[in-house]
Amino acid sequence: MDLIILDHLNFTYKDHAYIGDDFEIIHDIVITQKSHFKINKSKLNVTVGDYVYVKEDNGYFGIVENIEDEKTHLVVASVDFKELFKVEVLVESFNGNIAAYIEEIIRKTYLQNSDTKQNLNYLSISVETSKLGSFVFDADKVMSIYELLELANRMYGVYIKHEVIFNAGSFSGILIRIVNVTRGLKIKADNLILEDLIINDSSKESTNKAIYYPKTSNLFFKDVVIYYLLTDGTITKDNTSPLRYPKVISKVETYSDNDFLDLDTKVRSVLSVDKTDHQISFMIQKKNHSLDVLRTLDIGDFVEFIYKGKRYDSLVTGIKYSNTFEVATITLGEYRLKLTEKIQILSKNVNSKVGNITVNNSGYSDLDGGEF
């Protein structure tokens, strides 16, 4: 199995090296994870920021983050290609085709940028969904494209895939496909043999009360608006509802005159049952598992996971390969156990305020991937 190095500036071939059985590839849409490759060379024509490509059935395409010299060999560490989108942009509220909105932002950033050094002419974009939706942002909101993609995935099931493109056998570019989740699976784990099944629930309590105070600069709207999350998942302004949570966990925000009419929409990102706040992991034999659908689980797939009478509305957030592509560790949910991972999640939520948006799978029943 070969590890191929491609130049970040023009996507041309630079070098390659053989990979033995000492590698780890991690795909994770919750936090940044490094993949590692031990190669049989003591020298390699590679620079931090170059691309690495592994051509296998479950291949890998990433960005070189560092190279460790172990004297007798090198260890190349990389992050997923989607880290390219951790560049900040100015976003505006939007209503319409979500994929078209994402395409426009990526195109302005990497294909039509006034700073030509930032343009990556080997990128191409394919819009493959017409999912309609809306985003409501504060005025002058700045966030990374990565955070916007995360938001689109959680709210509307719209996300990106990437493919390496060849022309006459040579590397020619990267195709960014903006797609929609096409299936949802119901997995009844009690009826299946899932190797190394581990389930961890977060003990974090969900915010169930949101208070919006008017800004002092408001001219028209000056009322305090309060919303309550109910135990059935709905939101109300009625503080006497018998479905209110017995313990109040509140959050306070302010609103402008322009925000007032959108408060009913904005509050959904604050008051929502965090359905994906768990971590479910298990191993799959990719080549000989009896169920084809489990062998083809992919990042972003919605999964309804049922085990010992408890139901988890979840999605595939991680896939890991260690030293072989024949066995994969699948991770569902957005909870992480390791301290370093928890710190990374906390930092992301504090800095972006995107972490409070949860999966909106109101169309989940339409994603008929089957029941297993």
Side-chain angles (χ1 to χ4, degrees):
M1 182 171 65
D2 284 336
L3 181 76
I4 299 171
I5 306 298
L6 300 168
D7 195 298
H8 168 75
L9 296 177
N10 52 26
F11 210 65
T12 56
Y13 168 86
K14 292 181 68 174
D15 207 344
H16 76 282
Y18 177 75
I19 306 170
D21 57 359
D22 193 347
F23 68 89
E24 184 175 65
I25 292 176
I26 305 177
H27 305 279
D28 195 315
I29 60 174
V30 176
I31 58 175
T32 298
Q33 298 268 27
K34 287 185 181 181
S35 297
H36 295 85
F37 305 90
K38 178 182 176 181
I39 62 174
N40 65 340
K41 281 186 174 182
S42 57
K43 291 184 179 180
L44 188 69
N45 183 17
V46 60
T47 303
V48 170
D50 283 341
Y51 298 119
V52 292
Y53 175 66
V54 178
K55 187 178 181 181
E56 288 290 322
D57 290 341
N58 302 289
Y60 174 79
F61 184 70
I63 302 172
V64 176
E65 183 155 281
N66 65 281
I67 305 100
E68 299 175 12
D69 189 346
E70 302 288 343
K71 294 184 179 180
T72 59
H73 61 272
L74 297 177
V75 176
V76 177
S78 63
V79 292
D80 192 88
F81 171 72
K82 292 186 180 70
E83 296 289 310
L84 177 75
F85 298 114
K86 286 190 174 179
V87 55
E88 291 186 330
V89 295
L90 187 66
V91 294
E92 298 177 348
S93 296
F94 173 82
N95 183 54
N97 186 329
I98 297 297
Y101 178 67
I102 293 171
E103 179 197 21
E104 180 183 10
I105 289 179
I106 294 176
R107 194 172 293 281
K108 285 181 177 179
T109 304
Y110 284 122
L111 290 170
Q112 299 171 349
N113 201 305
S114 58
D115 181 359
T116 57
K117 287 187 176 296
Q118 191 169 334
N119 287 331
L120 302 176
N121 296 323
Y122 49 81
L123 291 184
S124 58
I125 306 173
S126 172
V127 174
E128 301 176 20
T129 176
S130 56
K131 184 79 172 183
L132 299 178
S134 62
F135 294 127
V136 178
F137 299 118
D138 293 336
D140 304 318
K141 174 66 176 177
V142 173
M143 67 166 56
S144 69
I145 298 177
Y146 190 97
E147 290 169 331
L148 180 64
L149 293 172
E150 184 179 54
L151 198 60
N153 186 19
R154 294 182 183 185
M155 294 183 71
Y156 300 108
V158 175
Y159 65 110
I160 66 168
K161 292 186 174 183
H162 54 271
E163 297 178 4
V164 175
I165 304 301
F166 296 87
N167 183 15
S170 299
F171 293 96
S172 65
I174 306 168
L175 174 64
I176 299 171
R177 300 172 55 210
I178 306 175
V179 301
N180 195 204
V181 174
T182 56
R183 67 174 185 174
L185 308 178
K186 179 181 287 187
I187 298 177
K188 294 183 176 180
D190 295 304
N191 302 333
L192 301 174
I193 299 176
L194 297 177
E195 297 181 50
D196 296 336
L197 174 62
I198 300 174
I199 299 177
N200 291 288
D201 286 299
S202 170
S203 58
K204 184 179 71 176
E205 296 176 293
S206 297
T207 301
N208 54 61
K209 179 180 179 180
I211 307 170
Y212 288 91
Y213 289 101
K215 292 184 177 180
T216 56
S217 58
N218 283 11
L219 298 177
F220 304 105
F221 301 104
K222 299 180 181 295
D223 292 334
V224 177
V225 184
I226 304 176
Y227 296 90
Y228 306 92
L229 175 67
L230 303 182
T231 53
D232 64 355
T234 60
I235 297 173
T236 184
K237 293 180 181 178
D238 179 11
N239 66 354
T240 64
S241 172
L243 296 180
R244 284 191 61 191
Y245 282 85
K247 181 180 179 181
V248 175
I249 308 294
S250 63
K251 181 177 179 62
V252 174
E253 294 192 358
T254 60
Y255 72 89
S256 66
D257 283 334
N258 290 334
D259 294 332
F260 182 78
L261 296 179
D262 294 320
L263 288 182
D264 288 354
T265 300
K266 293 183 69 173
V267 74
R268 295 175 194 167
S269 67
V270 177
L271 299 183
S272 53
V273 178
D274 205 345
K275 296 180 180 179
T276 57
D277 201 14
H278 53 257
Q279 183 184 50
I280 301 170
S281 63
F282 52 88
M283 293 178 62
I284 290 293
Q285 299 290 333
K286 297 287 285 187
K287 292 189 176 181
N288 57 15
H289 197 281
S290 58
L291 291 176
D292 287 342
V293 70
L294 292 185
R295 295 204 304 267
T296 58
L297 276 173
D298 198 5
I299 292 289
D301 285 349
F302 286 135
V303 176
E304 183 180 354
F305 191 90
I306 302 172
Y307 184 64
K308 293 185 177 180
K310 185 170 183 178
R311 181 172 66 90
Y312 298 86
D313 288 330
S314 193
L315 71 163
V316 180
T317 56
I319 300 177
K320 181 172 74 173
Y321 301 95
S322 294
N323 304 327
T324 178
F325 280 110
E326 295 185 3
V327 179
T329 299
I330 308 295
T331 299
L332 311 180
E334 298 186 314
Y335 181 58
R336 294 294 185 264
L337 286 175
K338 294 181 180 178
L339 178 60
T340 53
E341 295 175 340
K342 289 181 178 180
I343 291 173
Q344 194 177 150
I345 292 173
L346 178 62
S347 175
K348 179 178 70 173
N349 290 349
V350 168
N351 292 334
S352 70
K353 294 186 179 180
V354 175
N356 290 324
I357 304 293
T358 59
V359 174
N360 176 357
N361 55 0
S362 57
Y364 183 84
S365 59
D366 297 330
L367 302 175
D368 188 12
E371 179 177 313
F372 305 94

